[in-house]
């Protein structure tokens, strides 16, 4: 393939990976996809995606390998399974939120297998993924950018290049900072609505009081709507995934000598909500962690 029309293997077709693979195919790229549960990937065949039975089959001959899996260990396990099909010199766009320790292991794998690693987490959830409007946070060498341009253009509304090498994890670091803010805002909305319920305050009065002022924001409106309207499924960002990300953020802070008490407490809220049966609902289900039943 030429640099302008790369073949792409997408490993992981969950909430984010599925629409990303679909959008890649819809702009005419040669796409093959793999998911641990084949049923999740199978509908992509209608868009011209070749659904593979194994990671190695998916990546065989691919110019670009895009990983969008649960966490760093999952991404490493899948790439080890893919190793027999990997081509030295292929570009690996690693979009899994892996944390700093997880990213270090992935970077080591890339070096061992002669892959051109690009640290490429994305900012956005299910709807922007479906619309091809994610923000791609990217760190990697100039030589990979031409190959990745049509890939990132298909999945994202914009690409922010933050470094010219991937090994330092600059994009992963930025993603952790961004996610720390997203999770904090989510808990803030959830706790405010929970307190309103406990105190007998109409949530509409709370939202009206902040409307149009400096305390108002789109994310507050979106998460409040999910909680109040019971629209937590299907999730844009699942509670179980949010707990995982929160713990990665806390670990990154510890590694840097930074205490993140709010994020640590938030991880426990997500854990409690998951234990109550809300793990696969939108992370706004943090709301339920405020109550014992």
């Amino acid at each position: 393939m030429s640099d302008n029309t790369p073949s792409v293997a997408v490993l992981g077709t969950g909430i984010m990976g599925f629409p990303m693979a679909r959008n890649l195919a819809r702009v005419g790229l040669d796409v093959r996809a793999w998911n641990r549960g084949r049923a999740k990937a199978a509908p992509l065949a209608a868009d011209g995606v070749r659904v593979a039975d194994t990671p190695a089959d998916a990546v065989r001959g691919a110019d670009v390998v895009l990983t969008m899996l649960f966490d760093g260990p999952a991404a490493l396990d899948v790439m080890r399974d893919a190793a027999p099909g990997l081509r030295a010199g292929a570009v690996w766009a690693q979009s899994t939120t892996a944390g700093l320790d997880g990213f270090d292991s992935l970077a080591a794998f890339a070096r061992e297998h002669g892959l051109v690693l690009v640290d490429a987490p994305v900012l956005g959830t299910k709807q922007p993924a479906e619309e091809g409007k994610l923000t791609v946070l990217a760190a990697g060498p100039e030589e990979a950018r031409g190959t990745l341009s049509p890939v990132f253009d298909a999945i994202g509304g914009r690409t922010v290049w933050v470094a010219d090498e991937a090994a330092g994890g600059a994009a992963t670091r930025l993603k952790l900072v961004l996610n720390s803010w997203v999770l904090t805002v989510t808990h803030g909305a959830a706790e405010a609505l929970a307190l309103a319920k406990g105190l007998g305050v109409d949530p509409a009065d709370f939202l009206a009081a902040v409307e149009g002022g400096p305390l108002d924001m789109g994310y507050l409106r979106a998460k409040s709507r999910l909680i109040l309207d019971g629209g937590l499924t299907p999730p844009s960002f699942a509670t179980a995934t949010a707990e995982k990300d929160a713990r990665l953020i806390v670990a990154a802070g510890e590694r840097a000598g930074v205490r993140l008490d709010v994020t640590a407490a938030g991880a426990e809220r997500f854990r409690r909500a998951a234990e109550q049966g809300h793990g696969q609902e939108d992370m706004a289900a943090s709301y339920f962690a405020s109550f014992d039943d």
Side-chain angles (χ1 to χ4, degrees):
M1 289 274 177
S2 71
D3 286 346
N4 292 327
T5 56
S7 58
V8 186
V10 178
L11 303 180
T13 60
I15 291 173
M16 301 293 286
F18 186 96
M20 291 165 77
R22 173 174 280 169
N23 287 330
L24 290 167
R26 285 180 172 175
V27 299
L29 298 181
D30 173 26
V31 183
R32 67 289 298 268
W34 172 88
N35 194 69
R36 193 172 304 280
R38 184 185 172 94
K40 283 190 175 180
L44 288 167
D47 294 284
V49 175
R50 287 179 285 162
V51 179
D53 290 325
T54 68
D57 288 341
V59 305
R60 191 163 282 112
D63 300 303
V64 174
V65 177
L66 189 156
T67 45
M68 179 54 86
L69 295 148
F70 181 72
D71 59 12
L76 185 58
D77 285 347
V78 170
M79 287 299 284
R80 284 172 173 160
D81 289 342
L86 290 169
R87 175 177 62 79
V91 177
W92 178 13
Q94 203 306 105
S95 295
T96 304
T97 302
L100 297 186
D101 293 339
F103 180 79
D104 289 346
S105 297
L106 298 175
F109 179 92
R111 288 192 298 271
E112 291 165 8
H113 292 81
L115 303 176
V116 180
L117 178 64
V118 174
D119 182 19
V122 297
L123 182 63
T125 53
K126 182 181 179 182
Q127 183 174 342
E130 290 174 344
E131 296 173 349
K133 294 181 179 178
L134 296 166
T135 296
V136 182
L137 312 171
E142 189 71 35
E143 68 193 78
R145 298 188 187 187
T147 301
L148 285 174
S149 179
V151 176
F152 289 167
D153 287 350
I155 66 174
R158 65 178 181 137
T159 299
V160 180
W161 287 95
V162 298
D164 59 8
E165 57 88 27
T172 285
R173 293 167 189 270
L174 176 57
K175 176 65 186 297
L176 293 172
V177 172
L178 289 164
N179 272 17
S180 75
W181 174 239
V182 168
L183 301 185
T184 298
V185 173
T186 297
H187 290 306
E191 286 200 340
L193 290 180
L195 182 60
K197 180 178 180 180
L199 297 180
V201 172
D202 187 337
D205 290 340
F206 157 57
L207 294 170
V210 300
E211 186 172 5
L215 296 178
D216 199 4
M217 62 186 303
Y219 214 73
L220 167 63
R221 300 281 163 178
K223 293 305 181 187
S224 295
R225 189 163 50 249
L226 293 180
I227 294 167
L228 297 173
D229 296 346
L232 296 171
T233 54
S236 291
F237 192 143
T239 300
T241 304
E243 181 192 349
K244 178 267 297 185
D245 283 5
R247 298 198 187 281
L248 292 178
I249 292 163
V250 171
E254 290 174 348
R255 179 164 149 172
V258 179
R259 285 188 57 169
L260 299 173
D261 299 322
V262 172
T263 306
E268 285 301 297
R269 286 186 65 84
F270 286 136
R271 181 191 61 78
R272 291 200 306 274
E275 285 184 349
Q276 292 170 332
H278 303 287
Q280 297 309 310
E281 295 178 353
D282 190 89
M283 64 178 173
S286 163
Y287 169 84
F288 297 106
S290 290
F291 307 102
D292 291 332
D293 51 20

